[in-house]
Amino acid sequence: MKLEELWRAYHERLDANRLPYLECKACKHRFYYPRMLCPRCSSTSLEVKESDGRGKIFSLTRIQKKDGGRTTYGIVEFDGFRIYCNVLEDGKADVGGDVSVAFVELKGRKYPVARADA
Amino acid sequence: MFAGFAGRIYRKYEGSAFDLMSEAVAEALEMAGMEMKQLDGLVTTELPGIFDGKANLLMFTNQIRQYLGLKARYVDALDFGGASALASVHRAYKAIRAGEAESVLCLIGGKASDVRAKGVTVDSIDRAYPDVAVSPFDEFLRVNDDLNPVSDYALAAFRHSRLFGTTDGQRATIAAQQRFNAKGNAKALFKSDLTPEQVVASPMVAEPLHLLEIVYPVDGFHAFIVSKRQTRLRTLDILGYGEGHWHELPPEQEDIVSTPAVESSRRASFEAGRADAYELYDSFTITTLMQIEDIKLATKGKGGEFVEKHDLTYRGDVPLNTGGGSLNMGQPGFMSGGVLLEEALLQLNGMAEGHQVSGVNRVYLNGIGGWSRSHSVTLVLGEKN
């Protein structure tokens, strides 16, 4: 699959509130950031799959905004792959904490964020 | 191997980056007792925005040589950000040994103030220049509300704390001890007293990193003339050299609490403990802390204990960032490598007035580049036995 097709496949799923990822049919490696070859074994035999949306926080940081607000940003591990995303939380989220994927709209497109479990 | 060197740093330089660059080159030539026409090589680096706010200089090594009037037979351009300076010296050294040049200008720097004025840093340059890409994954990466590069190093620092119990106070110790060194350095930008408590009390920027743990981007250039010529400077050699280049984005790395200094230091094959002084990249306190572990001054996870147990000042048992580092000199053109290298040469030549480490024969340098910590270069300078 070429990048353009991958992007389309990703956007279709994200817009439907589903979190896509790529799995290599050759070595089973899973990754999120789309490219046409597996970063582990270079196979071009890849499949777009959908995550169950349950994840754990790998790391996070609370960013102080210039307008006085705060946003939480992190690396989150879903089923076998990790992504950078913002984390919706109440200040108590921590490394290892459970999250569920949620989606935010930006310029007409949806993108994943993680919502910390209460 | 060094005929001359110079560093010119300004909080905000009133003039073109080309003028600022020329100032540094002229000063290095003066120290070397050389003229421009005696240079026959150039190794340099570019980042978007650092030449008078331009997103890109097409064929930038040409533009630099056109401005300087530098007739070269060896030209090389590096793309390792903060790690470029240390690599440029090695490229020049190899070219000279191969007979491809005699005297090579290594030129590193730029103006950060024009980028700063747009409210971004080079690592978030796409927020000011939409046609600049920062990764092949921007479509799904740059939708996040982040604060690169600070937030990315904050993620490393946060996880380091959770995995190893590293405290804010331990990281702050690095900043405070570097400030002590800066107080003896006439060229330092920040010289007021600073305690670890004051570092921790400074505004939180991206948890756990506070304002005074973060480098301030400034305008500046460093020029180093690597040459066969004997000058009044001490005859030095490369005692160890290694590069490490990681291709994975941090989420795709096995873990995020190390830097490619793990690899570059191993390739340098020089036991870190044998050096007399250390110049380790200090874009953030956590950058320095991770390198202390990665070059094996301390085992992974024990960097925090290490900085508490040792005296990192220029008078201490582990002199580290002996001129105050770029945390106190400022970070010229978003790259600290020139700051590290200039300080190492001052130390090795007994020219570090006010912050001279006594008996310096070997300096261990490590540079890091990229918001995702993609590059590391280890360079050990000293006299060959």
Side-chain angles (χ1 to χ4, degrees):
Chain A
M1 267 179 290
K2 288 195 174 159
L3 198 51
E4 202 177 310
E5 295 169 69
L6 286 172
W7 282 17
R8 202 179 310 126
Y10 265 49
H11 280 307
E12 275 169 17
R13 284 165 179 80
L14 289 166
D15 288 344
N17 291 346
R18 294 197 299 270
L19 178 64
Y21 65 93
L22 281 162
E23 186 174 272
C24 173
K25 288 181 186 170
C27 78
K28 301 293 170 202
H29 181 57
R30 294 177 178 188
F31 56 100
Y32 176 72
Y33 295 101
R35 69 213 88 161
M36 67 178 291
L37 71 175
C38 171
R40 181 183 284 173
C41 76
S42 304
S43 166
T44 53
S45 182
L46 306 174
E47 188 179 1
V48 179
K49 298 188 113 173
E50 288 172 16
S51 167
D52 68 8
R54 304 280 309 137
K56 282 191 189 302
I57 294 172
F58 189 73
S59 192
L60 66 81
T61 177
R62 296 184 181 92
I63 300 166
Q64 204 58 51
K65 310 285 283 184
K66 282 188 183 127
D67 64 8
R70 212 170 64 170
T71 183
T72 305
Y73 173 66
I75 294 178
V76 173
E77 181 154 347
F78 288 98
D79 24 359
F81 62 95
R82 282 184 221 133
I83 72 171
Y84 280 119
C85 64
N86 289 100
V87 181
L88 310 175
E89 55 118 15
D90 57 1
K92 296 192 186 104
D94 209 334
V95 172
D98 292 321
V99 295
S100 307
V101 73
F103 297 87
V104 290
E105 203 169 307
L106 196 69
K107 292 177 192 159
R109 286 283 191 200
K110 284 187 178 173
Y111 294 95
V113 295
R115 189 188 301 279
D117 290 359
Chain B
M1 65 178 276
F2 290 95
F5 62 93
R8 299 295 281 254
I9 297 180
Y10 301 80
R11 195 181 280 250
K12 185 178 187 323
Y13 180 75
E14 299 300 336
S16 164
F18 287 101
D19 296 329
L20 176 51
M21 166 187 92
S22 307
E23 277 188 17
V25 174
E27 194 183 320
L29 283 170
E30 193 185 334
M31 182 194 275
M34 291 171 71
E35 296 176 51
M36 191 75 75
K37 65 182 180 196
Q38 291 171 296
L39 299 177
D40 61 356
L42 172 70
V43 186
T44 184
T45 196
E46 194 207 12
L47 288 172
I50 64 171
F51 271 85
D52 303 330
K54 299 283 192 291
N56 171 252
L57 299 190
L58 182 67
M59 306 285 168
F60 75 100
T61 63
N62 277 355
Q63 300 200 31
I64 287 169
R65 291 183 311 106
Q66 283 162 359
Y67 197 84
L68 292 176
L70 172 55
K71 186 177 174 183
R73 57 185 178 123
Y74 178 85
V75 178
D76 203 355
L78 301 174
D79 192 25
F80 311 153
S84 288
L86 305 186
S88 71
V89 165
H90 187 249
R91 296 294 197 280
Y93 176 87
K94 283 199 298 185
I96 291 167
R97 282 170 70 110
E100 293 171 16
E102 283 202 357
S103 297
V104 179
L105 172 65
C106 296
L107 186 64
I108 304 292
K111 285 183 69 181
S113 58
D114 301 310
V115 179
R116 226 167 52 208
K118 294 179 197 290
V120 298
T121 77
V122 141
D123 294 311
S124 60
I125 197 85
D126 56 319
R127 304 236 197 268
Y129 300 86
D131 286 337
V132 175
V134 299
S135 92
F137 314 119
D138 286 0
E139 177 82 3
F140 299 98
L141 195 61
R142 305 309 271 158
V143 291
N144 295 319
D145 189 9
D146 61 23
L147 189 70
N148 272 337
V150 184
S151 49
D152 204 69
Y153 280 85
L155 292 174
F158 198 100
R159 186 163 167 86
H160 201 283
S161 295
R162 287 296 180 270
L163 290 184
F164 308 121
T166 308
T167 64
D168 287 0
Q170 288 171 333
R171 285 194 323 277
T173 292
I174 295 173
Q177 299 211 57
Q178 286 192 201
R179 178 61 63 84
F180 180 88
N181 291 340
K183 286 195 288 180
N185 182 356
K187 285 175 81 174
L189 197 59
F190 303 113
K191 283 190 275 201
S192 55
D193 287 336
L194 184 66
T195 64
E197 292 72 27
Q198 287 172 314
V199 175
V200 173
S202 69
M204 185 69 85
V205 177
E207 191 183 349
L209 297 180
H210 304 81
L211 185 63
L212 296 181
E213 301 183 67
I214 299 171
V215 85
Y216 180 65
V218 295
D219 299 349
F221 272 89
H222 285 88
F224 305 94
I225 299 170
V226 179
S227 175
K228 280 180 170 175
R229 295 167 71 95
Q230 280 294 320
T231 65
R232 65 188 180 89
L233 293 179
R234 187 173 178 184
T235 304
L236 299 173
D237 214 318
I238 292 178
L239 307 182
Y241 183 80
E243 297 182 11
H245 304 284
W246 283 359
H247 60 282
E248 303 99 337
L249 275 185
E252 297 188 348
Q253 291 168 5
E254 200 175 308
D255 211 322
I256 58 168
V257 290
S258 300
T259 71
V262 170
E263 285 180 24
S264 62
S265 64
R266 194 175 64 230
R267 294 187 180 118
S269 298
F270 186 97
E271 193 191 324
R274 290 175 51 224
D276 305 313
Y278 302 86
E279 309 299 336
L280 306 180
Y281 208 79
D282 63 337
S283 48
F284 307 95
T285 50
I286 186 64
T287 322
T288 310
L289 187 85
M290 288 194 291
Q291 285 165 98
I292 285 171
E293 299 167 347
D294 296 342
I295 68 169
K296 296 199 164 52
L297 276 178
T299 53
K300 184 50 66 183
K302 301 288 186 196
E305 281 176 36
F306 183 89
V307 300
E308 275 180 336
K309 212 162 59 187
H310 294 278
D311 180 349
L312 310 179
T313 69
Y314 69 92
R315 299 189 297 208
D317 58 331
V318 184
L320 174 76
N321 294 340
T322 45
S326 59
L327 279 176
N328 297 302
M329 296 283 288
Q331 186 182 47
F334 302 95
M335 297 175 284
S336 300
V339 172
L340 304 181
L341 187 53
E342 183 190 15
E343 176 62 16
L345 294 178
L346 291 172
Q347 290 292 340
L348 284 161
N349 283 286
M351 294 161 68
E353 207 177 316
H355 54 105
Q356 180 69 48
V357 178
S358 63
V360 181
N361 291 308
R362 291 172 297 261
V363 178
Y364 197 110
L365 299 102
N366 201 88
I368 299 286
W371 62 263
S372 52
R373 296 175 295 286
S374 344
H375 306 283
S376 175
V377 172
T378 302
L379 173 70
V380 187
L381 291 174
E383 279 183 17
K384 210 150 218 168
N385 302 323

